[in-house]
């Protein structure tokens, strides 16, 4: 086999490896069904908590209940992150990846926190 054929085969092999590497990097993003970023609105969650606590929590106990509520929300965010693998960020946070799809999980988290309320 001549050296030109050997070089041509080597170039084709390098090109095939580059195409394979590109496919490995790009294809997983194309087939992802679950958004990788979830947003949480702390202001909306606090409003939901205040409405929920009206008549359930005395005004005197509200100040003591708020840190427990915040801890419960953080635990639920951590659970959701571990369960789904989604990154939960504050609503209106600036993300470096502009095409990242996101889903609002405020309602889901608050429903769980207020259902399991131990405060």
């Amino acid at each position: 086999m001549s050296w030109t054929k050997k070089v041509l085969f080597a170039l084709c092999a390098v090109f095939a490896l580059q195409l394979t590497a590109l496919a490995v990097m790009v294809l997983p993003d194309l087939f992802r069904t679950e958004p990788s970023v979830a947003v949480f609105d702390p202001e909306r969650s606090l409003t939901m908590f205040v409405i929920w606590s009206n008549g359930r929590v005395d005004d005197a106990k509200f100040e003591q209940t708020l840190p427990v509520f915040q801890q419960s929300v953080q635990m639920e965010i951590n659970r959701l992150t571990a369960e789904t693998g989604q990154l939960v960020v504050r609503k209106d946070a600036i993300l470096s990846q502009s095409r990242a799809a996101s889903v609002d999980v405020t309602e889901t988290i608050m429903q769980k926190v207020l259902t399991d309320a131990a405060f």
Side-chain angles (χ1 to χ4, degrees), residues 77-110:
I77 289 172
N78 292 343
R79 185 199 62 79
L80 182 71
T81 300
E83 196 174 274
T84 64
Q86 293 177 319
L87 174 65
V88 179
V89 296
R90 181 184 177 101
K91 184 178 179 184
D92 298 328
I94 299 172
L95 302 177
S96 61
Q97 187 178 11
S98 62
R99 66 180 180 92
S102 63
V103 62
D104 189 355
V105 294
T106 306
E107 190 75 32
T108 305
I109 290 173
M110 289 306 298

Side-chain angles (χ1 to χ4, degrees), residues 2-17:
S2 69
W3 67 272
T4 54
K5 285 186 180 180
K6 290 180 184 178
V7 169
L8 185 62
F9 282 128
L11 288 175
C12 288
V14 168
F15 182 68
L17 287 173

